[in-house]
Each structure stands twice: as C-alpha cells, then as structure tokens.
Amino acid sequence: MSIENRYEFLFLFDCENGNPNGDPDAGNSPRIDPEDMYGLVSDVALKRRVRNYVQVAKNNERPNAIFIEHATNLNRPIAESHLETNGEIPEKGKASKDKVRLARDWMCKNFYDVRTFGAVMSTGANAGQVRGAVQFSFARSLDKVLPLDISVTRMAVTEDVKGAKDIKTFKDWEDNQPEDQLRTMGRKNLIPYGLYAAKGFISANLAQDTGFSEADLELLWEALLNMYDHDRSASKGMMSCRGLYIFKHVGTDSDTEQRKKQAMLGCAPAHKLLDLGAIIDIKKKDGVVAPRKFTDYEVTANKDRLPKGVELIIK
C-alpha cells in the first residue's frame, strides 16, 4: 500500500578531511558556490549513496533491486520489462501505449529506485517515464568551506616500458633507473571540515502512481542514517549522518476523509518547515570561528513552532 502522508525532511551530514562531492568541471575539487564559498553536494550524489546502500542491504533482489547500477546498460532491464509483460522486446519506437504502460508498471514494482526517485526509461524498447515520489535538493554547507589541493608522493611509477614482452624486461628497466625516477607526485582534493544540510520532499500523491510504500519509506530512512558507513574511501575522508529531521503531515480536520486529504496535500508550505531557523536552529558555539567538528555546532529542534497538522520525527 502506498504512503498516505506528505513528508519533508532535513538531512544533516558532515565531511572531515575529505571530498564530499567532486566537481568534474573543476578537476574534481570539492563543489562550492563560487560567489560565497559555501560547499555544495549534488542531489545525484545523495541518491547514488541511497542506491548503493539499498543494493547492499537488500542484495539487489527484487522488489528492491536497483535500476541505475554502476557500469550497466539500462536498456537491458527495460527490455526485460517488455519480455515479462508483453512476451517480446519491441523495436525502438514501436511499442504501443498499453505495452509501455505495462512495462513501466513492472519497472516500478521491481526496482526500488524507480518507484522512489523516478527514471527516464524511454530509451531502447521504451518503458516510459516515472516521476519519483522522493526528491532531494542540492545540499549546502552551513559555513564557508576551504577547498585544498594537496600534493602527495606516490612511491612508484606506472611507466610503459616499450618492447617489454616478459617480466624480466620490466625488472631490468627498474634496476637501471635512479631511485628518484621511480616515484612520482599525486594530488588530493579535500576540505578540512563541512557540515551540510540537504532538503528532501516526499509526495504521497506521486507515491500512489509509483507504489512507493511505507516499507519503502522506512528503507529510505535507514539508508540515509547508514549509507556513509558503507561508502568509505580515502578521498571521502570521514563522512557521517548528523541528524535526520522528518516533518510528517497528518492533518487537523475532525472528519477522517478530510484529514486524509490534508495529510496527502500537506498542512504547511515546505519552506516554513525546512528553512533553517524556522523549526530547526543550527548555530556555531560561542568562540568558534572555523568549525572543524560537529560538536562546534548546536542543533535545536523547536517543536513548539510546528504548524498545526504537522509532526516532527527525529531519527
């Protein structure tokens, strides 16, 4: 059964001595807003970590398989959707509207990320498009970050030894090189510290279309709380979830049916819940100029400021 409540959520995470999201257009340096030097993490990066966690936690098995996997051809599961529902793989651009609808519904049923985030599946055999129930904003740091480009020494080289047909040729080449020529320099991009806030939105109305269920919702919360513990790498430094604040719309009307409609449509604009200072206050502690750890901040949830018909759940 699909969810029947609208949600917004504020997701806090931090990065210590790492690169939370490299920018390919800037030599993979940490993403920043160039006007104010605040850090950014893309919604795509956040969704990737959710997908990775679900793939590990659920063994990539249906109905919680992942459609957008690393290094795969998306047209393969799209073709499979037609085989399972229509008995054949249609030529590109030749699938009827009814066949596309059946394939689309099969994709929603079997792939967690399709019914959660949506997908464009109009390539290949064509399984249509899905607008997901869950969406993220770009995450933004609470303070300015300082991108560093650090030199490191690699104590080995990757030389292409011309004419080498056996291991002895490689070894002879190494033995004839000065020691200084057998090491090289590398670079690492990082920030010393950054606390980031991402805003999320969950539509109960879109969930009716994709089949995003209460079980799917609980799996999303689980992924957000734990995904960085399964995404460790030297380049990422120390990344951690530092808070998940969930705003659940429950309605206010005494009539059950009317309250259900309110819960789906929502009882307050998203900005009145998610803007920092509206319900959740985050500020640096006195005397802290350049934050270097989460405890340099104070986070306060003010439940007394909640609009009527909205509940706050803190994970």
Side-chain angles (χ1 to χ4, degrees), residues 111-175:
F111 292 94
Y112 178 84
D113 55 338
V114 174
R115 60 181 180 271
T116 302
F117 302 130
V120 176
M121 303 175 292
S122 52
T123 58
N126 188 5
Q129 298 185 24
V130 176
R131 188 177 174 192
V134 180
Q135 299 300 330
F136 288 94
S137 69
F138 264 57
R140 185 176 177 85
S141 66
L142 277 295
D143 285 280
K144 295 179 180 180
V145 297
L146 178 63
L148 301 178
D149 187 11
I150 296 175
S151 298
V152 295
T153 302
R154 186 172 69 181
M155 302 304 294
V157 296
T158 55
E159 186 72 20
D160 183 16
V161 180
K162 293 182 179 180
K165 300 296 184 181
D166 53 37
I167 301 303
K168 184 177 184 302
T169 305
F170 281 99
K171 187 65 171 64
D172 290 343
W173 180 88
E174 289 179 25
D175 292 342

Side-chain angles (χ1 to χ4, degrees), residues 288-314:
V288 175
V289 177
R292 289 295 182 266
K293 55 186 181 299
F294 180 64
T295 51
D296 286 338
Y297 290 91
E298 289 182 347
V299 182
T300 307
N302 301 283
K303 291 189 176 183
D304 58 309
R305 300 179 192 170
L306 284 168
K308 292 182 179 179
V310 179
E311 296 177 352
L312 174 60
I313 304 167
I314 302 174

Side-chain angles (χ1 to χ4, degrees), residues 3 63-64 108 112 115-116 210-221:
I3 63 169
N64 292 308
C108 286
Y112 178 84
R115 60 181 180 271
T116 302
T210 70
F212 183 78
S213 67
E214 291 289 343
D216 293 331
L217 183 67
E218 287 305 313
L219 184 55
L220 175 66
W221 303 144

Side-chain angles (χ1 to χ4, degrees), residues 61-253:
E61 295 177 351
R62 297 166 186 169
N64 292 308
I66 296 301
F67 172 53
I68 303 180
E69 293 185 69
H70 285 291
T72 58
N73 182 354
L74 299 181
N75 284 339
R76 172 177 50 80
I78 291 173
E80 185 182 359
S81 71
H82 279 279
L83 279 175
E84 291 292 330
T85 58
N86 301 310
E88 62 179 2
I89 302 173
E91 294 182 24
K92 186 175 182 180
K94 297 296 180 67
S96 68
K97 187 175 181 180
D98 286 341
K99 288 184 177 181
V100 170
R101 178 181 54 79
L102 289 172
R104 177 188 181 278
D105 291 345
W106 187 89
M107 293 293 292
C108 286
K109 181 179 178 181
N110 287 281
F111 292 94
Y112 178 84
D113 55 338
V114 174
R115 60 181 180 271
T116 302
F117 302 130
V120 176
M121 303 175 292
S122 52
T123 58
N126 188 5
Q129 298 185 24
V130 176
R131 188 177 174 192
V134 180
Q135 299 300 330
F136 288 94
S137 69
F138 264 57
R140 185 176 177 85
S141 66
L142 277 295
D143 285 280
K144 295 179 180 180
V145 297
L146 178 63
L148 301 178
D149 187 11
I150 296 175
S151 298
V152 295
T153 302
R154 186 172 69 181
M155 302 304 294
V157 296
T158 55
E159 186 72 20
D160 183 16
V161 180
K162 293 182 179 180
K165 300 296 184 181
D166 53 37
I167 301 303
K168 184 177 184 302
T169 305
F170 281 99
K171 187 65 171 64
D172 290 343
W173 180 88
E174 289 179 25
D175 292 342
N176 289 323
Q177 303 304 310
E179 185 177 345
D180 287 346
Q181 298 300 313
L182 291 173
R183 57 176 178 252
T184 187
M185 302 299 292
R187 310 202 72 80
K188 297 195 76 168
N189 294 291
L190 57 84
I191 59 172
Y193 183 79
L195 176 62
Y196 292 78
K199 298 173 182 179
F201 315 90
I202 305 178
S203 168
N205 293 287
L206 291 176
Q208 307 300 305
D209 183 48
T210 70
F212 183 78
S213 67
E214 291 289 343
D216 293 331
L217 183 67
E218 287 305 313
L219 184 55
L220 175 66
W221 303 144
E222 179 185 326
L224 290 172
L225 292 170
N226 298 290
M227 63 188 188
Y228 287 121
D229 285 325
H230 299 272
D231 189 52
R232 301 295 183 197
S233 70
S235 65
K236 288 289 187 292
M238 178 67 177
M239 296 189 68
S240 307
C241 170
R242 293 298 189 173
L244 180 56
Y245 301 87
I246 303 163
F247 298 94
K248 180 180 182 180
H249 297 258
V250 296
T252 59
D253 204 282

